[in-house]
């Protein structure tokens, strides 16, 4: 039996409302309610590869993963059910894209946890639709309205750049460290020495900062960059191009789509999935890394100092060291084949 998020449980309180509708689900989807809610028809658009993996198994081609939705994806839908993310610029980007494709007069339902800032949905959508709060339960708010005016959407308006030392970083809403280099990544970068060689996998690449910084002082590295977020993948591709760096960028849920072995895996792994604290991705990264490293290859990650990664590193590799630390972050290094317990 599926376990639904509080947001989906609120949607279920209004399940009869959707029985005759052609529904497009989008936003911060965290469960498989779209595959089970009774509707005339349903489609899903998500920017999150791991969410698409689960939903596509149940919905086939009615679930799509991409940076932006297109007219074909939205065709036939008369209702949008949008799950509010924790990031307001991300919500604006996604909603402006979706509403530019949906027909005027279509119904809009916005659902989100109060702590996500869903209350701002009314003001954000005000130029195109008047929303009203129709339910409050499970610490969530559900808003409803009808699309009055289709917004224009130009992805170029959402692309941004910032500079760090000699690098140009391209980014988009929803990408980690969108407004500048975060302290954790900066600490990890400080441990990367020149003249690194071999195959390097940047796991959870974000805007591609780690990869381009490494390539600038170690031009002989060969880079692979992966993330679950379509916006991060697009940002990384742009960052590579802006800095004249070559690399292969692809979607993967941790190692789901990774093949081969590497000489180094670097990461600033997330410990949230949406608003929820989750160590699953980081734990899977550490445990799976041993199967994707050459003998003598290393995993190098930065993490909040309070997270229990040393134990997982020791269980997996049989070794770990702290390369750098501050009051908040630590950079860990484990080498495959040096007392490694992994097969």
């Amino acid at each position: 039996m599926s376990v639904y998020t509080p947001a989906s449980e609120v949607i279920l309180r209004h399940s009869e409302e959707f029985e005759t509708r052609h529904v497009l689900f989008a936003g911060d989807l965290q469960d498989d309610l779209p595959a089970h809610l009774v509707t005339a028809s349903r489609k899903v658009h998500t920017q999150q590869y791991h969410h698409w993996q689960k939903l596509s198994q149940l919905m086939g081609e009615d679930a799509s993963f991409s940076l932006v939705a297109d007219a074909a994806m939205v065709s036939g839908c008369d209702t949008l059910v949008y799950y509010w993310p924790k990031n307001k610029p991300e919500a604006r980007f996604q909603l402006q894209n979706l509403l530019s494709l949906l027909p005027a007069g279509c119904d809009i339902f916005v659902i989100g946890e109060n702590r996500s800032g869903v209350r701002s949905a009314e003001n954000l959508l005000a130029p195109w639709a008047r929303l009203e709060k129709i339910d409050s339960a499970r610490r969530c708010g559900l808003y409803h309205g009808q699309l009055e005016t289709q917004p224009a959407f130009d992805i170029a308006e959402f692309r941004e750049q910032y500079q760090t030392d000699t690098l140009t970083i391209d980014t988009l809403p929803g990408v980690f460290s969108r407004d500048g280099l975060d302290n954790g990544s900066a600490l990890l970068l400080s441990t990367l020495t020149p003249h690194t060689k071999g195959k390097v996998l940047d796991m959870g690449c974000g805007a591609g900062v780690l990869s381009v910084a490494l390539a600038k002082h170690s031009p002989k590295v060969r880079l692979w960059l992966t993330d679950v977020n379509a916006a991060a993948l697009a940002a990384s591709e742009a960052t590579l191009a802006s800095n004249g760096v070559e690399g292969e960028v692809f979607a993967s849920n941790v190692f789901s789509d990774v093949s081969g072995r590497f000489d180094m895996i670097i990461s600033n792994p997330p410990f949230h999935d949406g608003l929820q604290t989750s160590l699953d991705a980081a734990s899977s990264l550490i445990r799976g890394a041993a199967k994707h490293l050459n003998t003598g290859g290393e995993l190098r990650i930065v993490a909040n100092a309070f997270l229990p990664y040393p134990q997982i590193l020791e269980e997996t590799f049989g070794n770990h060291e702290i390369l750098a630390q501050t009051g908040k972050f630590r950079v860990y290094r484990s080498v495959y084949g040096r007392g490694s317990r992994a097969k």
Side-chain angles (χ1 to χ4, degrees), residues 96-150:
Q96 200 160 330
N97 167 222
L98 295 166
L99 296 179
S100 72
L101 300 169
L102 287 163
C106 76
D107 284 278
I108 303 168
F109 293 85
V110 177
I111 180 66
E113 294 188 41
N114 294 329
R115 59 178 176 153
S116 72
V118 69
R119 295 181 183 90
S120 62
E122 290 177 279
N123 288 334
L124 192 152
L125 269 72
W128 316 302
R130 286 176 290 179
L131 295 185
E132 294 184 359
K133 193 173 189 178
I134 61 172
D135 199 358
S136 181
R138 305 285 285 133
R139 297 181 180 177
C140 295
L142 176 62
Y143 298 80
H144 171 258
Q146 289 186 326
L147 181 61
E148 298 171 3
T149 305
Q150 285 179 310

Side-chain angles (χ1 to χ4, degrees), residues 159 161 168-171 207 232-243:
R159 296 186 183 276
Q161 287 185 334
T168 299
I169 309 302
D170 292 79
T171 187
L233 299 174
S236 283
E237 289 180 339
T239 295
L240 291 175
S242 293
N243 293 278

Side-chain angles (χ1 to χ4, degrees), residues 164-176:
T164 171
D165 296 328
T166 60
L167 304 177
T168 299
I169 309 302
D170 292 79
T171 187
L172 284 162
V175 178
F176 180 64

